[in-house]
Every structure is written in structure tokens, then in C-alpha cells.
Amino acid sequence: MKYLMFGFNVLFWLVGAGICGIGLWAWTEKDMFSNIGKITTVTLDPALIFIISGGVMFVIGFCGCIGALRENTCLLMFFSVSVGLIFAVELLFGVLAFAYKDWIKNQIESQVKNMIINYREDLDLQNLIDWVQQDWLHCCGVNSYADWELNRYFNCSSQGSIEACGVPFSCCKPTTDLIKNHHCGFKMINNADRENKIYTEGCISLGEKWLETNLIPVAAIAVGIAVVQILGICFASILRCDVNAQKAKWGYND
């Protein structure tokens, strides 16, 4: 059990270190450490999410590793409680998301609109939006392509912007051209032929359709994550009980 617990936590620790490393690398590329004030202008920073989630996994995994290797009951307890709290938060979020799905939908819409507004302010955010629109959902904007007018560069009243009344290239439908045209979205908001050239349906509605279509795989992944967390808690608890039992046999009291 000791080495099974140790191996489990090594994997957990390495995954956390990798995720955190990716986030730190992204921040370094954006020179965020010299411009830390930029965080306040972007509600959702993908790199920051990687850093926080990876950091939490790293700390918990490290404590689990040392706790298993040294048979330290305090660290094993910390690991069990931490993973248990994360599991409880995930479970609570799932219940609330089901019970208040309209409110959750409104919050997501508000968040995505914030992302559109800050599209040109953060390269990671820009790449994320482009990937969602072009490669994943094949959509444009929150509820429709017209949402891109929220961005000051794409707004039709924008003075001096060549992107005025346009949408990002990721909204464009694929063509047979060998070279990708990054200007394909220019002037498309008021273009009468936009239906044939860009995606016009919003990402929220297409995201809901995707979730309904892929409900079983998504649920399977969620259950898989929950099972891994429960196994981690069980392994830590069993090892802790074994250590305490051995201490009691030796007549050792904390």
C-alpha cells in the first residue's frame, strides 16, 4: 500500500508540476512578471488558471509523496482532507450547475463577452478564443457574430482601425486556399454575403449542442476523475490506519 500510494502521488505531483510549468512559461512569454498589473484587465487568464491549478496539484501531490514515503500521518491526513475538499467543491459545483443552469449560463455569457472585449489584450486569451471558434465549435461571438462589436477594434464606430466592422479570422469558414487568409473577417459584420463566408451562430448555443451530443463521454471523464480522487483518499486513509496500527503495536503514542 505504501508504494502504491507513493506511485499515485508521484504521478499527481508530476502532472501538477507540468501544468504549473506551462502556465509560468506562458506568463514569461507574455512578460507578465514585469507587467503584473495587466491581470486586472483580463477576467479570465488561461495561464493564471494553469499556474493556480498546477500549483495546488503540485503541493498536494508533494505532501502525499512525502507522507507515503516517510509514513507521516500528518501529511497523509493533509492529502486526504485536501483531495476531499476538492471533491466536495466539484460535487457542489455540479449540483449548483444543474439547479441554477440559467444563472450559470448568464455568468458564462458575461464571462465570454469579457473575453471578447479583451481579445487583443492577451495573446493566450486570443489563442483560446480562436481555437474555440475555428477548431472546436465552429462559431462566432457569444450569441452571434454581432457580439464582436463589443471589442473596440472590431466595433463599426472604431476610427482608424482596419478591423472595424469585422470579425477575427477564426470566424471564417474554411476554404481550399493553401495560404490562410487572416484578413477574411474584415468588414463582415455588415456584409450581405457573410452567411457563406463566416460562422454566424454564437458559441454559447453551439456549446450547449456539443454538450448534449457528447454528454456520455463528458460524464465518463467526470466519473473517472471522481474515482481517481476517491481512490487517492482511500489509499491515504488505509496507509494512515496501517501506520497508526503499527505504532500501537509498538506501544508508541504521538
Side-chain angles (χ1 to χ4, degrees):
M1 181 58 68
K2 172 181 176 179
Y3 295 106
L4 181 62
M5 178 66 186
F6 178 72
F8 178 86
N9 281 283
V10 166
L11 180 61
F12 198 79
W13 176 49
L14 290 175
V15 171
I19 293 173
C20 187
I22 291 171
L24 290 171
W25 172 79
W27 261 30
T28 303
E29 288 293 303
K30 295 189 296 183
D31 198 26
M32 285 296 292
F33 292 103
S34 301
N35 303 278
I36 203 73
K38 287 183 179 179
I39 300 175
T40 58
T41 63
V42 181
T43 309
L44 181 62
D45 185 345
L48 184 60
I49 291 176
F50 270 64
I51 292 171
I52 294 173
S53 58
V56 170
M57 289 181 66
F58 178 86
V59 171
I60 295 175
F62 181 77
C63 290
C65 284
I66 301 301
L69 194 63
R70 303 296 297 173
E71 296 184 347
N72 187 301
T73 55
C74 291
L75 289 177
L76 290 172
M77 174 64 81
F78 174 80
F79 176 86
S80 297
V81 172
S82 298
V83 176
L85 286 174
I86 292 173
F87 177 74
V89 169
E90 291 171 349
L91 187 62
L92 179 63
F93 180 80
V95 172
L96 291 177
F98 181 78
Y100 300 98
K101 51 188 175 183
D102 291 335
W103 181 84
I104 293 292
K105 180 180 177 181
N106 291 335
Q107 293 302 308
I108 293 174
E109 285 186 9
S110 175
Q111 186 64 59
V112 177
K113 285 179 180 178
N114 254 349
M115 294 167 70
I116 285 178
I117 292 171
N118 292 284
Y119 176 77
R120 289 294 188 207
E121 312 303 324
D122 187 298
L123 183 59
D124 289 332
L125 192 62
Q126 182 175 316
N127 290 334
L128 176 63
I129 293 173
D130 287 339
W131 174 76
V132 170
Q133 292 191 146
Q134 187 175 49
D135 300 319
W136 181 23
L137 296 177
H138 307 300
C139 58
C140 188
V142 182
N143 297 304
S144 75
Y145 65 92
D147 292 317
W148 279 101
E149 280 216 76
L150 293 170
N151 186 285
R152 60 178 177 172
Y153 299 103
F154 296 104
N155 190 284
C156 289
S157 62
S158 179
Q159 299 294 325
S161 173
I162 60 173
E163 296 178 309
C165 252
V167 294
F169 76 93
S170 55
C171 283
C172 297
K173 292 182 177 180
T175 63
T176 55
D177 297 338
L178 294 177
I179 300 176
K180 184 179 291 186
N181 180 12
H182 283 251
H183 296 167
C184 59
F186 284 15
K187 309 299 179 185
M188 279 293 159
I189 288 181
N190 293 327
N191 191 312
D193 195 33
R194 59 177 172 266
E195 294 282 347
N196 298 319
K197 295 183 177 180
I198 65 171
Y199 302 116
T200 56
E201 193 169 351
C203 294
I204 296 296
S205 59
L206 286 177
E208 289 178 324
K209 291 177 183 176
W210 180 89
L211 187 60
E212 290 172 2
T213 304
N214 298 276
L215 188 58
I216 293 177
V218 171
I221 292 173
V223 170
I225 293 172
V227 168
V228 169
Q229 291 173 329
I230 292 171
L231 285 176
I233 295 171
C234 291
F235 290 158
S237 299
I238 292 171
L239 181 57
R240 184 169 170 270
C241 289
D242 289 345
V243 172
N244 286 332
Q246 193 64 42
K247 285 181 179 180
K249 185 184 295 185
W250 291 342
Y252 175 79
N253 294 316
D254 289 327

